[in-house]
Amino acid sequence: MNSKAKLSKTSNPEPWGKNVLVEFEDRIAWVTMNRPEKRNAISADLALEMSDVIDALEADERCGVLVFTGAGDSWSAGMDLRDYFRATDNAPPAERARVYRANWAWQWRRLLHYPKPTIAMVNGWCFGGAFTPLVACDLAIADEKAVFGLSEINWGIIPAGVVCKAVSKVMNQRDALYYVMTGETFTGKKAARMGLVNEAVPKSKLRKRTVQLAKTLLEKNPTVLRQAKVAFKFVSDMHWEEAADYLMAKSDQAILNDPERGREHAMQQFLDEKSFRPGLGAYRRKR
Ligand code: ACO
């Protein structure tokens, strides 16, 4: 056995189980922030573990869609003020940089352009730094009574990390600034009205609706789904000319990389066989 093989054998293939739990069900990976006694506040250990979990799930065939949720009655109470801020304030710069990097890695560097579809299932409290992974997930469904807040102003700090940037992507300026400046809370129902989440549903229907959405995503051509979501997110920061050129290249890439040759089958079924209406549903996939 060469040294490379030894290394992969000794490294833990499933890096979850402590601050993050993962369960698989019908190709949905339920990724649970697991510090309920601290309202799932994001500690350095949680960030490091989550970073590894996200990396591992990218290659895990049991996972076609990731759903991020929280243990207990919270999604996440944001950054752990004791563990992340106070404990690292006087830490050596390299250590401080390491834990901040781990947090940025999972919260947006990886999640924003993650190759698999991601859904935030907001089951309760959602504050401050937790807005970044919330926005970085592709889609979000909330308990209509979940409580959200950009509470940083109440702490005497600004919504940093990239929270301001994240909310500016999905909320309009008036709404975002209102909550950035007042620190008031709002419900899941209001979050849906403002476009911070896609939908708000009663708690009793939250999981069922999330599963339904995940199953819809699992039915799609995964190659094209990946390219579509990544392309959408990248072009929002591009000029029109750049976007047009990039999308043309991305479109070619999706076609070339698609083992199902979906575009070809769809055109055949619509133009030649006249066997489906693309406006009303998907082509028959040949897997
Ligand atoms: N950082 C560190 N510890 C936290 C955090 C947090 N963000 N949120 C909750 N906790 C801890 C509490 O200190 C407490 O710990 P203890 O049992 O050791 O005393 C435990 O979690 C439970 O908290 P309570 O306040 O008792 O829970 P309650 O259910 O009454 O209230 C609520 C929940 C509203 C979420 C409250 O904990 C709260 O306001 N938390 C802070 C939320 C916030 O402002 N987050 C943004 C942080 S700033 C940022 O993310 C950049």
Side-chain angles (χ1 to χ4, degrees):
M1 188 185 282
N2 65 32
S3 60
K4 235 182 179 174
K6 258 189 216 148
L7 191 70
S8 65
K9 195 146 196 220
T10 50
S11 64
N12 182 0
E14 293 188 344
W16 51 82
K18 210 173 157 208
N19 298 285
V20 182
L21 304 179
V22 178
E23 288 165 286
F24 298 96
E25 191 188 325
D26 299 334
R27 301 205 55 238
I28 303 170
W30 296 89
V31 181
T32 304
M33 295 176 271
N34 187 39
R35 299 182 74 221
E37 72 292 351
K38 299 288 181 193
R39 307 301 179 259
N40 304 321
I42 299 159
S43 61
D45 284 344
L46 188 148
L48 289 160
E49 194 171 324
M50 189 63 96
S51 231
D52 290 342
V53 166
I54 290 176
D55 280 349
L57 290 180
E58 184 177 345
D60 196 314
E61 288 184 0
R62 294 169 292 179
C63 164
V65 173
L66 285 74
V67 176
F68 289 85
T69 189
D73 60 2
S74 316
W75 198 65
S76 168
M79 300 312 295
D80 187 313
L81 272 294
R82 185 189 298 278
D83 182 89
Y84 228 110
F85 290 166
R86 187 183 274 175
T88 61
D89 279 350
N90 298 314
E95 176 57 14
R96 192 159 185 255
R98 187 178 78 92
V99 291
Y100 273 74
R101 207 169 38 241
N103 197 45
W104 289 21
W106 83 269
Q107 285 199 348
W108 59 276
R109 283 206 174 107
R110 294 294 335 272
L111 215 43
L112 200 56
H113 303 119
Y114 196 72
K116 293 182 176 177
T118 54
I119 303 172
M121 186 179 86
V122 184
N123 54 309
W125 305 114
C126 177
F127 285 104
F131 275 60
T132 302
L134 169 67
V135 172
C137 282
D138 304 323
L139 303 170
I141 300 188
D143 171 355
E144 61 189 11
K145 293 198 173 137
V147 175
F148 294 73
L150 289 165
S151 56
E152 285 88 340
I153 198 83
N154 300 335
W155 288 96
I157 58 177
I158 71 164
V162 287
V163 172
C164 277
K165 174 74 179 167
V167 293
S168 76
K169 277 282 175 200
V170 292
M171 292 169 82
N172 73 45
Q173 182 166 314
R174 292 275 180 240
D175 289 334
L177 274 179
Y178 183 89
Y179 290 107
V180 164
M181 294 171 74
T182 65
E184 282 177 20
T185 58
F186 53 93
T187 62
K189 211 172 198 172
K190 183 94 198 262
R193 278 209 298 273
M194 294 188 295
L196 177 61
V197 300
N198 294 92
E199 287 173 37
V201 296
K203 198 178 200 73
S204 59
K205 300 200 170 129
L206 185 59
R207 191 171 169 111
K208 194 168 168 215
R209 175 64 188 120
T210 307
V211 168
Q212 194 182 41
L213 177 59
K215 286 193 169 164
T216 300
L217 299 174
L218 285 166
E219 304 245 300
K220 306 295 174 201
N221 178 324
T223 312
V224 179
L225 190 60
R226 178 168 67 239
Q227 305 288 14
K229 64 167 256 192
V230 169
F232 176 84
K233 291 184 184 185
F234 273 121
V235 294
S236 70
D237 288 325
M238 288 182 194
H239 297 296
W240 282 67
E241 292 293 344
E242 289 168 333
D245 193 52
Y246 166 87
L247 285 171
M248 192 62 88
K250 205 72 187 158
S251 174
D252 286 348
Q253 186 188 22
I255 293 166
L256 279 172
N257 286 345
D258 180 11
E260 293 183 20
R261 302 193 353 260
R263 183 175 181 269
E264 205 178 301
H265 290 307
M267 286 205 288
Q268 194 180 1
Q269 289 168 24
F270 180 62
L271 299 175
D272 305 331
E273 297 169 13
K274 300 193 184 299
S275 59
F276 93 117
R277 291 196 173 90
L280 305 179
Y283 70 95
R284 291 184 309 285
R285 289 176 64 199
K286 296 193 176 160
R287 297 178 223 198

mmCIF file of all heavy atoms in Angstrom, residues 104-146:
data_model
loop_
_atom_site.group_PDB
_atom_site.id
_atom_site.type_symbol
_atom_site.label_atom_id
_atom_site.label_comp_id
_atom_site.label_asym_id
_atom_site.label_seq_id
_atom_site.Cartn_x
_atom_site.Cartn_y
_atom_site.Cartn_z
ATOM 1 N N TRP A 104 -15.872 31.234 6.953
ATOM 2 C CA TRP A 104 -16.148 31.780 5.623
ATOM 3 C C TRP A 104 -16.202 30.657 4.599
ATOM 4 O O TRP A 104 -16.985 30.703 3.651
ATOM 5 C CB TRP A 104 -15.071 32.799 5.236
ATOM 6 C CG TRP A 104 -15.150 34.076 6.022
ATOM 7 C CD1 TRP A 104 -15.760 34.246 7.235
ATOM 8 C CD2 TRP A 104 -14.622 35.352 5.662
ATOM 9 N NE1 TRP A 104 -15.625 35.550 7.645
ATOM 10 C CE2 TRP A 104 -14.942 36.256 6.702
ATOM 11 C CE3 TRP A 104 -13.916 35.828 4.570
ATOM 12 C CZ2 TRP A 104 -14.569 37.597 6.667
ATOM 13 C CZ3 TRP A 104 -13.543 37.167 4.535
ATOM 14 C CH2 TRP A 104 -13.869 38.043 5.573
ATOM 15 N N ALA A 105 -15.352 29.644 4.813
ATOM 16 C CA ALA A 105 -15.295 28.536 3.849
ATOM 17 C C ALA A 105 -16.664 27.888 3.697
ATOM 18 O O ALA A 105 -17.155 27.725 2.592
ATOM 19 C CB ALA A 105 -14.274 27.504 4.297
ATOM 20 N N TRP A 106 -17.297 27.545 4.818
ATOM 21 C CA TRP A 106 -18.572 26.833 4.648
ATOM 22 C C TRP A 106 -19.712 27.809 4.414
ATOM 23 O O TRP A 106 -20.587 27.551 3.600
ATOM 24 C CB TRP A 106 -18.856 25.907 5.825
ATOM 25 C CG TRP A 106 -19.476 26.505 7.055
ATOM 26 C CD1 TRP A 106 -18.818 27.009 8.124
ATOM 27 C CD2 TRP A 106 -20.875 26.626 7.355
ATOM 28 N NE1 TRP A 106 -19.711 27.448 9.068
ATOM 29 C CE2 TRP A 106 -20.987 27.224 8.619
ATOM 30 C CE3 TRP A 106 -22.052 26.296 6.676
ATOM 31 C CZ2 TRP A 106 -22.213 27.494 9.235
ATOM 32 C CZ3 TRP A 106 -23.271 26.563 7.284
ATOM 33 C CH2 TRP A 106 -23.348 27.165 8.545
ATOM 34 N N GLN A 107 -19.712 28.940 5.100
ATOM 35 C CA GLN A 107 -20.889 29.802 5.049
ATOM 36 C C GLN A 107 -21.149 30.395 3.673
ATOM 37 O O GLN A 107 -22.278 30.639 3.316
ATOM 38 C CB GLN A 107 -20.760 30.935 6.056
ATOM 39 C CG GLN A 107 -20.976 30.492 7.473
ATOM 40 C CD GLN A 107 -21.306 31.658 8.384
ATOM 41 O OE1 GLN A 107 -21.167 32.816 8.008
ATOM 42 N NE2 GLN A 107 -21.728 31.363 9.583
ATOM 43 N N TRP A 108 -20.100 30.688 2.939
ATOM 44 C CA TRP A 108 -20.384 31.238 1.610
ATOM 45 C C TRP A 108 -19.389 30.811 0.534
ATOM 46 O O TRP A 108 -19.797 30.544 -0.582
ATOM 47 C CB TRP A 108 -20.532 32.768 1.657
ATOM 48 C CG TRP A 108 -19.324 33.503 2.173
ATOM 49 C CD1 TRP A 108 -19.013 33.724 3.489
ATOM 50 C CD2 TRP A 108 -18.278 34.097 1.415
ATOM 51 N NE1 TRP A 108 -17.831 34.417 3.586
ATOM 52 C CE2 TRP A 108 -17.365 34.677 2.324
ATOM 53 C CE3 TRP A 108 -18.021 34.212 0.033
ATOM 54 C CZ2 TRP A 108 -16.220 35.341 1.914
ATOM 55 C CZ3 TRP A 108 -16.880 34.884 -0.378
ATOM 56 C CH2 TRP A 108 -15.994 35.446 0.557
ATOM 57 N N ARG A 109 -18.088 30.670 0.890
ATOM 58 C CA ARG A 109 -17.164 30.326 -0.204
ATOM 59 C C ARG A 109 -17.556 29.013 -0.849
ATOM 60 O O ARG A 109 -17.547 28.872 -2.061
ATOM 61 C CB ARG A 109 -15.728 30.248 0.314
ATOM 62 C CG ARG A 109 -15.113 31.606 0.530
ATOM 63 C CD ARG A 109 -13.598 31.582 0.429
ATOM 64 N NE ARG A 109 -13.076 32.924 0.510
ATOM 65 C CZ ARG A 109 -12.424 33.424 1.576
ATOM 66 N NH1 ARG A 109 -12.211 32.673 2.632
ATOM 67 N NH2 ARG A 109 -11.998 34.659 1.565
ATOM 68 N N ARG A 110 -17.902 27.997 -0.022
ATOM 69 C CA ARG A 110 -18.307 26.710 -0.580
ATOM 70 C C ARG A 110 -19.789 26.683 -0.929
ATOM 71 O O ARG A 110 -20.195 26.228 -1.985
ATOM 72 C CB ARG A 110 -18.032 25.571 0.420
ATOM 73 C CG ARG A 110 -16.597 25.276 0.746
ATOM 74 C CD ARG A 110 -15.733 24.733 -0.389
ATOM 75 N NE ARG A 110 -16.366 24.034 -1.494
ATOM 76 C CZ ARG A 110 -16.627 22.744 -1.529
ATOM 77 N NH1 ARG A 110 -16.316 21.968 -0.547
ATOM 78 N NH2 ARG A 110 -17.182 22.194 -2.589
ATOM 79 N N LEU A 111 -20.595 27.187 0.004
ATOM 80 C CA LEU A 111 -22.038 27.002 -0.123
ATOM 81 C C LEU A 111 -22.634 27.792 -1.293
ATOM 82 O O LEU A 111 -23.520 27.304 -1.991
ATOM 83 C CB LEU A 111 -22.690 27.447 1.192
ATOM 84 C CG LEU A 111 -23.904 26.695 1.680
ATOM 85 C CD1 LEU A 111 -23.740 25.201 1.538
ATOM 86 C CD2 LEU A 111 -24.183 27.053 3.144
ATOM 87 N N LEU A 112 -22.113 28.985 -1.500
ATOM 88 C CA LEU A 112 -22.698 29.863 -2.522
ATOM 89 C C LEU A 112 -22.698 29.214 -3.909
ATOM 90 O O LEU A 112 -23.661 29.314 -4.651
ATOM 91 C CB LEU A 112 -21.901 31.172 -2.545
ATOM 92 C CG LEU A 112 -22.555 32.395 -3.161
ATOM 93 C CD1 LEU A 112 -23.886 32.694 -2.503
ATOM 94 C CD2 LEU A 112 -21.628 33.606 -3.018
ATOM 95 N N HIS A 113 -21.601 28.538 -4.237
ATOM 96 C CA HIS A 113 -21.504 27.931 -5.575
ATOM 97 C C HIS A 113 -21.370 26.415 -5.476
ATOM 98 O O HIS A 113 -20.721 25.773 -6.297
ATOM 99 C CB HIS A 113 -20.311 28.531 -6.339
ATOM 100 C CG HIS A 113 -20.396 30.013 -6.467
ATOM 101 N ND1 HIS A 113 -19.469 30.870 -5.951
ATOM 102 C CD2 HIS A 113 -21.351 30.790 -7.015
ATOM 103 C CE1 HIS A 113 -19.842 32.116 -6.189
ATOM 104 N NE2 HIS A 113 -20.981 32.091 -6.824
ATOM 105 N N TYR A 114 -22.000 25.861 -4.465
ATOM 106 C CA TYR A 114 -21.892 24.423 -4.212
ATOM 107 C C TYR A 114 -22.509 23.640 -5.374
ATOM 108 O O TYR A 114 -23.567 24.013 -5.880
ATOM 109 C CB TYR A 114 -22.625 24.101 -2.906
ATOM 110 C CG TYR A 114 -22.293 22.770 -2.312
ATOM 111 C CD1 TYR A 114 -21.062 22.540 -1.727
ATOM 112 C CD2 TYR A 114 -23.228 21.742 -2.335
ATOM 113 C CE1 TYR A 114 -20.755 21.312 -1.176
ATOM 114 C CE2 TYR A 114 -22.931 20.507 -1.782
ATOM 115 C CZ TYR A 114 -21.687 20.305 -1.205
ATOM 116 O OH TYR A 114 -21.389 19.087 -0.660
ATOM 117 N N PRO A 115 -21.876 22.556 -5.797
ATOM 118 C CA PRO A 115 -22.395 21.861 -6.980
ATOM 119 C C PRO A 115 -23.739 21.156 -6.795
ATOM 120 O O PRO A 115 -24.427 20.907 -7.763
ATOM 121 C CB PRO A 115 -21.296 20.852 -7.324
ATOM 122 C CG PRO A 115 -20.310 20.888 -6.234
ATOM 123 C CD PRO A 115 -20.587 22.043 -5.336
ATOM 124 N N LYS A 116 -24.099 20.829 -5.568
ATOM 125 C CA LYS A 116 -25.392 20.158 -5.356
ATOM 126 C C LYS A 116 -26.414 21.180 -4.842
ATOM 127 O O LYS A 116 -26.026 22.152 -4.176
ATOM 128 C CB LYS A 116 -25.236 19.016 -4.356
ATOM 129 C CG LYS A 116 -24.366 17.887 -4.905
ATOM 130 C CD LYS A 116 -24.231 16.726 -3.950
ATOM 131 C CE LYS A 116 -23.430 15.601 -4.615
ATOM 132 N NZ LYS A 116 -23.184 14.463 -3.721
ATOM 133 N N PRO A 117 -27.702 20.941 -5.085
ATOM 134 C CA PRO A 117 -28.705 21.893 -4.606
ATOM 135 C C PRO A 117 -28.767 21.921 -3.077
ATOM 136 O O PRO A 117 -28.615 20.880 -2.431
ATOM 137 C CB PRO A 117 -30.021 21.347 -5.178
ATOM 138 C CG PRO A 117 -29.666 20.271 -6.117
ATOM 139 C CD PRO A 117 -28.285 19.812 -5.825
ATOM 140 N N THR A 118 -29.010 23.117 -2.535
ATOM 141 C CA THR A 118 -29.060 23.288 -1.082
ATOM 142 C C THR A 118 -30.348 24.008 -0.686
ATOM 143 O O THR A 118 -30.770 24.955 -1.347
ATOM 144 C CB THR A 118 -27.848 24.115 -0.588
ATOM 145 O OG1 THR A 118 -27.802 25.342 -1.325
ATOM 146 C CG2 THR A 118 -26.545 23.372 -0.787
ATOM 147 N N ILE A 119 -30.926 23.536 0.408
ATOM 148 C CA ILE A 119 -32.154 24.161 0.932
ATOM 149 C C ILE A 119 -31.915 24.473 2.412
ATOM 150 O O ILE A 119 -31.467 23.598 3.167
ATOM 151 C CB ILE A 119 -33.368 23.207 0.825
ATOM 152 C CG1 ILE A 119 -33.596 22.757 -0.624
ATOM 153 C CG2 ILE A 119 -34.633 23.883 1.378
ATOM 154 C CD1 ILE A 119 -34.675 21.657 -0.763
ATOM 155 N N ALA A 120 -32.223 25.702 2.822
ATOM 156 C CA ALA A 120 -32.216 26.020 4.259
ATOM 157 C C ALA A 120 -33.629 25.776 4.775
ATOM 158 O O ALA A 120 -34.580 26.363 4.252
ATOM 159 C CB ALA A 120 -31.815 27.477 4.471
ATOM 160 N N MET A 121 -33.751 24.896 5.754
ATOM 161 C CA MET A 121 -35.064 24.671 6.374
ATOM 162 C C MET A 121 -35.017 25.341 7.751
ATOM 163 O O MET A 121 -34.481 24.790 8.702
ATOM 164 C CB MET A 121 -35.362 23.177 6.507
ATOM 165 C CG MET A 121 -36.768 22.921 7.016
ATOM 166 S SD MET A 121 -37.149 21.151 7.156
ATOM 167 C CE MET A 121 -36.512 20.785 8.807
ATOM 168 N N VAL A 122 -35.562 26.551 7.802
ATOM 169 C CA VAL A 122 -35.411 27.377 9.011
ATOM 170 C C VAL A 122 -36.508 27.019 10.007
ATOM 171 O O VAL A 122 -37.671 27.376 9.837
ATOM 172 C CB VAL A 122 -35.439 28.878 8.660
ATOM 173 C CG1 VAL A 122 -35.183 29.714 9.913
ATOM 174 C CG2 VAL A 122 -34.412 29.200 7.589
ATOM 175 N N ASN A 123 -36.091 26.309 11.042
ATOM 176 C CA ASN A 123 -37.051 25.732 11.985
ATOM 177 C C ASN A 123 -37.216 26.564 13.249
ATOM 178 O O ASN A 123 -37.956 26.170 14.145
ATOM 179 C CB ASN A 123 -36.594 24.316 12.372
ATOM 180 C CG ASN A 123 -35.168 24.305 12.891
ATOM 181 O OD1 ASN A 123 -34.276 24.838 12.246
ATOM 182 N ND2 ASN A 123 -34.947 23.729 14.057
ATOM 183 N N GLY A 124 -36.515 27.700 13.369
ATOM 184 C CA GLY A 124 -36.642 28.496 14.595
ATOM 185 C C GLY A 124 -35.730 29.710 14.530
ATOM 186 O O GLY A 124 -35.486 30.237 13.442
ATOM 187 N N TRP A 125 -35.195 30.130 15.695
ATOM 188 C CA TRP A 125 -34.354 31.336 15.757
ATOM 189 C C TRP A 125 -33.329 31.391 14.616
ATOM 190 O O TRP A 125 -32.635 30.403 14.362
ATOM 191 C CB TRP A 125 -33.564 31.373 17.066
ATOM 192 C CG TRP A 125 -34.321 31.265 18.351
ATOM 193 C CD1 TRP A 125 -34.268 30.241 19.253
ATOM 194 C CD2 TRP A 125 -35.217 32.236 18.924
ATOM 195 N NE1 TRP A 125 -35.070 30.509 20.334
ATOM 196 C CE2 TRP A 125 -35.669 31.724 20.160
ATOM 197 C CE3 TRP A 125 -35.686 33.487 18.499
ATOM 198 C CZ2 TRP A 125 -36.552 32.416 20.983
ATOM 199 C CZ3 TRP A 125 -36.575 34.170 19.320
ATOM 200 C CH2 TRP A 125 -36.992 33.639 20.538
ATOM 201 N N CYS A 126 -33.199 32.565 14.037
ATOM 202 C CA CYS A 126 -32.172 32.770 13.006
ATOM 203 C C CYS A 126 -31.655 34.199 13.159
ATOM 204 O O CYS A 126 -32.388 35.159 12.882
ATOM 205 C CB CYS A 126 -32.774 32.561 11.614
ATOM 206 S SG CYS A 126 -31.584 32.874 10.289
ATOM 207 N N PHE A 127 -30.414 34.330 13.627
ATOM 208 C CA PHE A 127 -29.880 35.656 13.945
ATOM 209 C C PHE A 127 -28.510 35.890 13.317
ATOM 210 O O PHE A 127 -27.726 34.951 13.116
ATOM 211 C CB PHE A 127 -29.720 35.815 15.464
ATOM 212 C CG PHE A 127 -31.017 36.033 16.189
ATOM 213 C CD1 PHE A 127 -31.606 35.008 16.914
ATOM 214 C CD2 PHE A 127 -31.658 37.270 16.141
ATOM 215 C CE1 PHE A 127 -32.810 35.205 17.594
ATOM 216 C CE2 PHE A 127 -32.865 37.471 16.813
ATOM 217 C CZ PHE A 127 -33.445 36.435 17.535
ATOM 218 N N GLY A 128 -28.240 37.163 13.073
ATOM 219 C CA GLY A 128 -26.893 37.638 12.747
ATOM 220 C C GLY A 128 -26.143 36.826 11.714
ATOM 221 O O GLY A 128 -26.573 36.695 10.561
ATOM 222 N N GLY A 129 -25.017 36.257 12.138
ATOM 223 C CA GLY A 129 -24.158 35.511 11.225
ATOM 224 C C GLY A 129 -24.843 34.344 10.538
ATOM 225 O O GLY A 129 -24.379 33.884 9.490
ATOM 226 N N ALA A 130 -25.963 33.877 11.082
ATOM 227 C CA ALA A 130 -26.674 32.761 10.442
ATOM 228 C C ALA A 130 -27.341 33.192 9.135
ATOM 229 O O ALA A 130 -27.732 32.356 8.319
ATOM 230 C CB ALA A 130 -27.723 32.184 11.395
ATOM 231 N N PHE A 131 -27.469 34.517 8.922
ATOM 232 C CA PHE A 131 -28.050 34.972 7.655
ATOM 233 C C PHE A 131 -27.149 34.628 6.467
ATOM 234 O O PHE A 131 -27.632 34.518 5.347
ATOM 235 C CB PHE A 131 -28.284 36.496 7.682
ATOM 236 C CG PHE A 131 -29.592 36.903 8.307
ATOM 237 C CD1 PHE A 131 -29.897 36.588 9.616
ATOM 238 C CD2 PHE A 131 -30.524 37.626 7.579
ATOM 239 C CE1 PHE A 131 -31.098 36.976 10.205
ATOM 240 C CE2 PHE A 131 -31.736 38.011 8.141
ATOM 241 C CZ PHE A 131 -32.021 37.694 9.460
ATOM 242 N N THR A 132 -25.843 34.510 6.704
ATOM 243 C CA THR A 132 -24.951 34.246 5.559
ATOM 244 C C THR A 132 -25.202 32.864 4.959
ATOM 245 O O THR A 132 -25.481 32.761 3.752
ATOM 246 C CB THR A 132 -23.475 34.446 5.960
ATOM 247 O OG1 THR A 132 -23.332 35.773 6.440
ATOM 248 C CG2 THR A 132 -22.554 34.244 4.771
ATOM 249 N N PRO A 133 -25.151 31.765 5.752
ATOM 250 C CA PRO A 133 -25.483 30.480 5.125
ATOM 251 C C PRO A 133 -26.926 30.414 4.653
ATOM 252 O O PRO A 133 -27.225 29.731 3.671
ATOM 253 C CB PRO A 133 -25.204 29.448 6.231
ATOM 254 C CG PRO A 133 -25.184 30.221 7.510
ATOM 255 C CD PRO A 133 -24.727 31.598 7.159
ATOM 256 N N LEU A 134 -27.819 31.124 5.335
ATOM 257 C CA LEU A 134 -29.215 31.141 4.887
ATOM 258 C C LEU A 134 -29.300 31.665 3.449
ATOM 259 O O LEU A 134 -29.930 31.049 2.584
ATOM 260 C CB LEU A 134 -30.048 32.032 5.828
ATOM 261 C CG LEU A 134 -31.465 32.364 5.352
ATOM 262 C CD1 LEU A 134 -32.327 31.117 5.324
ATOM 263 C CD2 LEU A 134 -32.106 33.423 6.252
ATOM 264 N N VAL A 135 -28.644 32.784 3.194
ATOM 265 C CA VAL A 135 -28.691 33.374 1.848
ATOM 266 C C VAL A 135 -27.873 32.541 0.865
ATOM 267 O O VAL A 135 -28.253 32.415 -0.304
ATOM 268 C CB VAL A 135 -28.183 34.841 1.889
ATOM 269 C CG1 VAL A 135 -28.036 35.400 0.479
ATOM 270 C CG2 VAL A 135 -29.131 35.707 2.717
ATOM 271 N N ALA A 136 -26.774 31.961 1.340
ATOM 272 C CA ALA A 136 -25.919 31.186 0.427
ATOM 273 C C ALA A 136 -26.598 29.902 -0.044
ATOM 274 O O ALA A 136 -26.276 29.390 -1.121
ATOM 275 C CB ALA A 136 -24.586 30.870 1.097
ATOM 276 N N CYS A 137 -27.544 29.371 0.762
ATOM 277 C CA CYS A 137 -28.312 28.211 0.276
ATOM 278 C C CYS A 137 -29.153 28.655 -0.927
ATOM 279 O O CYS A 137 -29.612 29.793 -0.998
ATOM 280 C CB CYS A 137 -29.244 27.687 1.370
ATOM 281 S SG CYS A 137 -28.406 26.691 2.613
ATOM 282 N N ASP A 138 -29.385 27.737 -1.838
ATOM 283 C CA ASP A 138 -30.115 28.101 -3.058
ATOM 284 C C ASP A 138 -31.547 28.498 -2.743
ATOM 285 O O ASP A 138 -32.090 29.438 -3.322
ATOM 286 C CB ASP A 138 -30.157 26.909 -4.031
ATOM 287 C CG ASP A 138 -28.767 26.405 -4.367
ATOM 288 O OD1 ASP A 138 -27.860 27.246 -4.488
ATOM 289 O OD2 ASP A 138 -28.603 25.177 -4.490
ATOM 290 N N LEU A 139 -32.189 27.732 -1.873
ATOM 291 C CA LEU A 139 -33.604 27.930 -1.578
ATOM 292 C C LEU A 139 -33.798 27.887 -0.069
ATOM 293 O O LEU A 139 -32.951 27.336 0.647
ATOM 294 C CB LEU A 139 -34.433 26.811 -2.240
ATOM 295 C CG LEU A 139 -34.276 26.673 -3.760
ATOM 296 C CD1 LEU A 139 -34.941 25.390 -4.248
ATOM 297 C CD2 LEU A 139 -34.861 27.874 -4.494
ATOM 298 N N ALA A 140 -34.890 28.461 0.397
ATOM 299 C CA ALA A 140 -35.117 28.448 1.853
ATOM 300 C C ALA A 140 -36.609 28.362 2.140
ATOM 301 O O ALA A 140 -37.424 29.044 1.515
ATOM 302 C CB ALA A 140 -34.533 29.710 2.483
ATOM 303 N N ILE A 141 -36.926 27.502 3.118
ATOM 304 C CA ILE A 141 -38.305 27.373 3.582
ATOM 305 C C ILE A 141 -38.276 27.541 5.094
ATOM 306 O O ILE A 141 -37.439 26.945 5.775
ATOM 307 C CB ILE A 141 -38.897 25.995 3.219
ATOM 308 C CG1 ILE A 141 -38.861 25.825 1.697
ATOM 309 C CG2 ILE A 141 -40.318 25.875 3.736
ATOM 310 C CD1 ILE A 141 -39.568 24.616 1.190
ATOM 311 N N ALA A 142 -39.186 28.365 5.607
ATOM 312 C CA ALA A 142 -39.167 28.644 7.046
ATOM 313 C C ALA A 142 -40.470 28.244 7.701
ATOM 314 O O ALA A 142 -41.543 28.281 7.072
ATOM 315 C CB ALA A 142 -38.922 30.134 7.277
ATOM 316 N N ASP A 143 -40.360 27.894 8.965
ATOM 317 C CA ASP A 143 -41.530 27.836 9.827
ATOM 318 C C ASP A 143 -42.096 29.266 9.845
ATOM 319 O O ASP A 143 -41.346 30.223 10.060
ATOM 320 C CB ASP A 143 -41.054 27.403 11.227
ATOM 321 C CG ASP A 143 -42.153 27.509 12.284
ATOM 322 O OD1 ASP A 143 -43.255 28.004 11.983
ATOM 323 O OD2 ASP A 143 -41.873 27.111 13.435
ATOM 324 N N GLU A 144 -43.390 29.409 9.634
ATOM 325 C CA GLU A 144 -43.937 30.767 9.549
ATOM 326 C C GLU A 144 -43.765 31.542 10.856
ATOM 327 O O GLU A 144 -43.790 32.768 10.868
ATOM 328 C CB GLU A 144 -45.406 30.730 9.114
ATOM 329 C CG GLU A 144 -46.321 29.989 10.058
ATOM 330 C CD GLU A 144 -47.724 29.778 9.499
ATOM 331 O OE1 GLU A 144 -47.959 30.017 8.300
ATOM 332 O OE2 GLU A 144 -48.580 29.354 10.300
ATOM 333 N N LYS A 145 -43.549 30.796 11.949
ATOM 334 C CA LYS A 145 -43.356 31.485 13.236
ATOM 335 C C LYS A 145 -41.884 31.578 13.651
ATOM 336 O O LYS A 145 -41.578 32.039 14.751
ATOM 337 C CB LYS A 145 -44.150 30.773 14.327
ATOM 338 C CG LYS A 145 -45.649 30.903 14.104
ATOM 339 C CD LYS A 145 -46.430 30.597 15.357
ATOM 340 C CE LYS A 145 -47.897 30.909 15.116
ATOM 341 N NZ LYS A 145 -48.790 29.887 15.643
ATOM 342 N N ALA A 146 -40.991 31.129 12.793
ATOM 343 C CA ALA A 146 -39.554 31.264 13.107
ATOM 344 C C ALA A 146 -39.256 32.746 13.312
ATOM 345 O O ALA A 146 -39.891 33.609 12.696
ATOM 346 C CB ALA A 146 -38.715 30.713 11.951
#
